[in-house]
C-alpha cells in the first residue's frame, strides 16, 4: 500500500500494526481465494478502464480512421493534430470553457473551503447561543440536493438581472454545508483547546490563531472539503444549464453537452466532442494524483466513529 | 450525514462545560471573532440555500391568471393549486416510479460492488492494491455529462467498439435505456464509494482481527462478522449520498436524449422540473422542485433513522 498515506494518529498506528507486526497467520489464505480475488479485480479493472482507453484511442484517430479501424487500438497517431484542431475551432472556445471550469471550480472551491472551515471551527471551538440550532440547519442543508436549488436560484437571479453572468454560477458554489459538517468534526478532534489557550497567552488574536495554528492542524480536512467542492462544481450541470445562454461563459461540461446535441446537424463536431471529453478529464485526474493522500484521509473522517 | 459520528463530535466540544453553568445567559467569550468566523458562511448560506428554498415554496403557491385567453398574465395566490396539479400529474409520478426502480436496483448493486472491492483491498488476498485503488477510482474523475456522452458512443451500434454486442442488444431502446444509464452511474461512482468504505476499514485497529484469526476464522468470516458491522456508518453515508443522487438524476438522461428517443423530457423528475420551467410554467416547476426535495429529504432521513435503529439493537 502507499507509504504516503494516513496522517491521523489512530490510522497511522493501525497501519504500523499492520505492517511491522505480522499477525500470527493461523488461518492461512488459500491459493484458491487469492486467485478468485485477483480475477474479480482484474475483470473489473477492464470494466473501469476500457471506456477511457477507448476514448484515448478515439482521440488519436482521424475521423475516417475512427470508423474503419480497430476501435481499441491505434491507427495513425493524430492526437496532437486533433487537439490543435479542437483548440482552433470557433476561435478557441474550448480553451475558454476549460478556463471557465477551472475558475468556477478552483476559485469557488477555495473560497467555499475557507468559509466552511471558519464556520466549522467556530462551531467546534466556541460556545455561543444558537450554536446547535445553526449546526442543525446546516446539517439539513447537506441533505438538500443542489439540483433542487437550481430552479429557485434561477428565478431569484432573473429578478436581479444576474442570470447569464459569471456570478450566477460562481456565487452559489461558495456554499458547502458538508464542508462545515466535516471541518467541525475535524476541528473538534484535531485542534486541542490547550493550543488555542497557549496562543491566547502569547497574545495572538482569535482570528490570527485560526490562520496560523488551527488551519495547519485541520489541513487534511480542508483538502478533502476543497476536493469535494471542486468535483461538485466541476461536475455541476443543472445550474449552468439553466443560468447560462452565452457560450463564452460555459463550463466545459455544458459546452461539450451543447456540441454533442448538435452532432446530427454538424457531424464534424463528433470528433471535437470526443477529444474534448478526453482533455476535460485530465485536470481532475492530475488533481486527484496530487492530493490523493489527503483526500483519502479526510474521506473517512465524516463516517468513522 | 453520518449521524453516528455526531454525538462524538458533540461530546468532545461540549466536554469542558462547567458544572456551574446556570440556565441564565452565559457571557459569550470572543464575540467579535465568532462573528468574523460565522458571518461569511451564514450570509452565503442564507442567500443561496434558505432564500431559494423559501422562494421556491412561495412561488409554488402562485397561479397565473389571464384576462381572457390572450390577456395580460398576472400571478396571484393560488393556495395549493399547484400541488394538486402535481399530484394529478401522471408523468411526474411515472418519473418518480422510474427513478425509484432505478435506485432499488442500482444503489444495492453499486454499494455491494464498492463493499466487495473495499473488503478485497483490505484483505491480504490481493497484490497491486495501489494500482486497483487508482484504476477503480479513475472514472470518478469523469463528470457525469462526459461519462454519459462517452457511454452513449459506446452503446451506439455503429460507433461502439463492441459491435458484436451492440448490434444484438439495443442498449438505447425503451426497454433498456434506463439500465444503460444505471450502468453509467455505477461506472462513475463505484470507485468513489469504494474509497469511502475502504478508508473506514483502514481505521479499524488490526488487533481486533487477531483473536478471530487465532480462532481460525477465515477472511470471509472476519469480513462478515467483524469488518462490516464496524464500517456500517460509512456504508450508511454512501447509501444516503446514493439515494440523493438517484432522485436527482438529470445530466445522464439529459445527454441520452441525444442518443435515444426513448428518453423523453419527462424521463426523470428533474428533467420534468427543467422542461416545465422552460415551457414556462415556473410555479408548477417550483412545486415539482419542492415535492422532489421533500421526497429526497424524507427518504434519506428515514434511511438514516432506519439503519441507526438496526444498529442499536
Amino acid at each position: 500500500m502507499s507509504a504516503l498515506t494516513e496522517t491521523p494518529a489512530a490510522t497511522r498506528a493501525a497501519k504500523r500494526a499492520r505492517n511491522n507486526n505480522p499477525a500470527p497467520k493461523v488461518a492461512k489464505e488459500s491459493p484458491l481465494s487469492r486467485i478468485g480475488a485477483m480475477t474479480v479485480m482484474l475483470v473489473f479493472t477492464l470494466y473501469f478502464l476500457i471506456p477511457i482507453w477507448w476514448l484515448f484511442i478515439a482521440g488519436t484517430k482521424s475521423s475516417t480512421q475512427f470508423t474503419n479501424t480497430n476501435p481499441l487500438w491505434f491507427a495513425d497517431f493524430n492526437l496532437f493534430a486533433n487537439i490543435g484542431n479542437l483548440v482552433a475551432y470557433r476561435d478557441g472556445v474550448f480553451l475558454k470553457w476549460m478556463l471557465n471550469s477551472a475558475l468556477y471550480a478552483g476559485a469557488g472551491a477555495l473560497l467555499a473551503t475557507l468559509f466552511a472551515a471558519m464556520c466549522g471551527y467556530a462551531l467546534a471551538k466556541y460556545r455561543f447561543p444558537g450554536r446547535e440550532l445553526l449546526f442543525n440547519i446546516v446539517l439539513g442543508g447537506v441533505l438538500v440536493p443542489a439540483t433542487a436549488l437550481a430552479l429557485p436560484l434561477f428565478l431569484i437571479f432573473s429578478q436581479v438581472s444576474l442570470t447569464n453572468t459569471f456570478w450566477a454560477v460562481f456565487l452559489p458554489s461558495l456554499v458547502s454545508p458538508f464542508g462545515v459538517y466535516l471541518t467541525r468534526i475535524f476541528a473538534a478532534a484535531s485542534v486541542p483547546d490547550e493550543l488555542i489557550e497557549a496562543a491566547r497567552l502569547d497574545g495572538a488574536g482569535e482570528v490570527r490563531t485560526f490562520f496560523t495554528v488551527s488551519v495547519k492542524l485541520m489541513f487534511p480536512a480542508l483538502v478533502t472539503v476543497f476536493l469535494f467542492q471542486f468535483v461538485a462544481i466541476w461536475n455541476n450541470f443543472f445550474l449552468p444549464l439553466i443560468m447560462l445562454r452565452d457560450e463564452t461563459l460555459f463550463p466545459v461540461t455544458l459546452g461539450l453537452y451543447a456540441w454533442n446535441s448538435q452532432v446530427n446537424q454538424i457531424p464534424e463536431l463528433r470528433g471535437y466532442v470526443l477529444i474534448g471529453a478526453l482533455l476535460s478529464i485530465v485536470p481532475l485526474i492530475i488533481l486527484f494524483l496530487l492530493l490523493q493522500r489527503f483526500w483519502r484521509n479526510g474521506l473517512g473522517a465524516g463516517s468513522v466513529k | 450525514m453520518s449521524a453516528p459520528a455526531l454525538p462524538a463530535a458533540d461530546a468532545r466540544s461540549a466536554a469542558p462545560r462547567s458544572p456551574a453553568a446556570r440556565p441564565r445567559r452565559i457571557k459569550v467569550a470572543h464575540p467579535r471573532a465568532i462573528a468574523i468566523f460565522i458571518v461569511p458562511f451564514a450570509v452565503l448560506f442564507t442567500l443561496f440555500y434558505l432564500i431559494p428554498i423559501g422562494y421556491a415554496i412561495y412561488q409554488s403557491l402562485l397561479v397565473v391568471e389571464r384576462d381572457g385567453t390572450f390577456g395580460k398574465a398576472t400571478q396571484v395566490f393560488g393556495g395549493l393549486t399547484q400541488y394538486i396539479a402535481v399530484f394529478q400529474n401522471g408523468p411526474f409520478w411515472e418519473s418518480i416510479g422510474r427513478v425509484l426502480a432505478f435506485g432499488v436496483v442500482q444503489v444495492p448493486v453499486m454499494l455491494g460492488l464498492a463493499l466487495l472491492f473495499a473488503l478485497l483491498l483490505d484483505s491480504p488476498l490481493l497484490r497491486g492494491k495501489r494500482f486497483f485503488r487508482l484504476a477503480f477510482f479513475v472514472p470518478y474523475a469523469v463528470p457525469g455529462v462526459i461519462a454519459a456522452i462517452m457511454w452513449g458512443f459506446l452503446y451506439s451500434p455503429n460507433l461502439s467498439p463492441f459491435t458484436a454486442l451492440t448490434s444484438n442488444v439495443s442498449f438505447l431502446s425503451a426497454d433498456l435505456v434506463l439500465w444503460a444509464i444505471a450502468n453509467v452511474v455505477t461506472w462513475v461512482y463505484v470507485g468513489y464509494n469504494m474509497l469511502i468504505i475502504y478508508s473506514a476499514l483502514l481505521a479499524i485497529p488490526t488487533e481486533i482481527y487477531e483473536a478471530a484469526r487465532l480462532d481460525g476464522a477465515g477472511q470471509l468470516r472476519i469480513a462478515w462478522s467483524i469488518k462490516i458491522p464496524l464500517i456500517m456508518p460509512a456504508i450508511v453515508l454512501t447509501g444516503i449520498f446514493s439515494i440523493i443522487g438517484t432522485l436527482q438524476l438529470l445530466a445522464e438522461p439529459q445527454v441520452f436524449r441525444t442518443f435515444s428517443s426513448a428518453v423523453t423530457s419527462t424521463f426523470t423528475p428533474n428533467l420534468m422540473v427543467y422542461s416545465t420551467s422552460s415551457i414556462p410554467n415556473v410555479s408548477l416547476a417550483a412545486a415539482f422542485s419542492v415535492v422532489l426535495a421533500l421526497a429526497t429529504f424524507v427518504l434519506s432521513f428515514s434511511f438514516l433513522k432506519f439503519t441507526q435503529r438496526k444498529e442499536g439493537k
Side-chain angles (χ1 to χ4, degrees), chain A residues 139-162:
Chain A
L139 210 56
V142 176
L143 292 184
V144 174
T147 47
L149 297 169
L151 176 70
L153 275 172
F154 171 75
L155 298 175
I156 292 173
F157 278 149
S158 59
Q159 296 207 338
V160 289
S161 305
L162 268 176

Side-chain angles (χ1 to χ4, degrees), chain A:
Chain A
M1 269 176 293
S2 77
L4 35 80
T5 40
E6 277 79 53
T7 329
T11 340
R12 205 184 302 144
K15 168 146 287 185
R16 205 175 300 130
R18 199 170 291 209
N19 283 349
N20 301 348
N21 183 13
K25 285 224 170 152
V26 180
K28 185 107 175 83
E29 274 50 86
S30 77
L32 203 65
S33 41
R34 279 177 192 280
I35 292 169
M38 282 305 276
T39 311
V40 169
M41 295 305 264
L42 287 172
V43 166
F44 276 96
T45 303
L46 294 180
Y47 169 68
F48 288 118
L49 292 188
I50 281 181
I52 290 175
W53 173 251
W54 170 84
L55 187 65
F56 176 64
I57 294 291
T60 66
K61 287 181 179 173
S62 67
S63 54
T64 47
Q65 286 177 334
F66 177 67
T67 40
N68 61 22
T69 58
N70 179 355
L72 292 180
W73 199 247
F74 298 100
D76 296 338
F77 196 80
N78 285 324
L79 178 65
F80 299 108
N82 287 345
I83 293 177
N85 290 340
L86 169 74
V87 168
Y89 187 68
R90 285 199 211 157
D91 302 326
V93 73
F94 178 79
L95 278 187
K96 180 83 182 126
W97 293 342
M98 290 291 273
L99 217 63
N100 289 344
S101 275
L103 204 58
Y104 288 128
L110 209 59
L111 285 173
T113 307
L114 174 68
F115 297 147
M118 292 196 304
C119 187
Y121 176 77
L123 286 171
K125 290 293 159 196
Y126 297 94
R127 300 185 47 71
F128 53 92
R131 186 178 72 153
E132 290 312 310
L133 177 71
L134 179 67
F135 184 61
N136 285 327
I137 294 176
V138 172
L139 210 56
V142 176
L143 292 184
V144 174
T147 47
L149 297 169
L151 176 70
L153 275 172
F154 171 75
L155 298 175
I156 292 173
F157 278 149
S158 59
Q159 296 207 338
V160 289
S161 305
L162 268 176
T163 51
N164 200 22
T165 63
F166 172 81
W167 305 108
V169 173
F170 183 74
L171 289 177
S173 65
L174 298 180
V175 193
S176 169
F178 181 70
V180 174
Y181 165 79
L182 201 63
T183 48
R184 177 188 179 165
I185 291 180
F186 210 85
S190 66
V191 184
D193 288 330
E194 295 77 21
L195 208 65
I196 302 177
E197 209 52 61
R200 270 178 204 144
L201 289 177
D202 287 347
E206 301 298 312
V207 177
R208 204 176 128 204
T209 307
F210 171 78
F211 280 103
T212 53
V213 180
S214 310
V215 158
K216 285 189 192 114
L217 295 171
M218 292 163 68
F219 198 67
L222 299 188
V223 174
T224 307
V225 173
F226 175 80
L227 271 170
F228 258 113
Q229 194 67 4
F230 188 95
V231 173
I233 304 172
W234 188 274
N235 291 352
N236 193 354
F237 179 65
F238 201 12
L239 193 66
L241 176 70
I242 65 174
M243 286 289 184
L244 303 177
R245 293 282 165 269
D246 181 356
E247 200 180 61
T248 59
L249 293 172
F250 283 6
V252 66
T253 45
L254 187 58
L256 290 176
Y257 164 77
W259 277 0
N260 188 55
S261 352
Q262 299 164 24
V263 162
N264 288 333
Q265 294 89 23
I266 317 171
E268 65 188 281
L269 281 179
R270 192 177 67 199
Y272 293 135
V273 168
L274 285 169
I275 187 81
L278 181 64
L279 293 184
S280 76
I281 300 171
V282 175
L284 270 193
I285 292 187
I286 292 175
L287 193 68
F288 282 147
L289 287 177
L290 287 178
L291 299 177
Q292 67 161 333
R293 57 190 178 129
F294 301 109
W295 158 253
R296 290 214 306 109
N297 289 336
L299 264 180
S303 57
V304 184
K305 267 192 252 199

Side-chain angles (χ1 to χ4, degrees), chain B residues 232-248:
Chain B
M232 233 19 217
I235 299 174
V236 171
L237 180 83
T238 56
I240 291 173
F241 275 143
S242 308
I243 290 174
I244 297 178
T246 300
L247 277 167
Q248 300 303 318

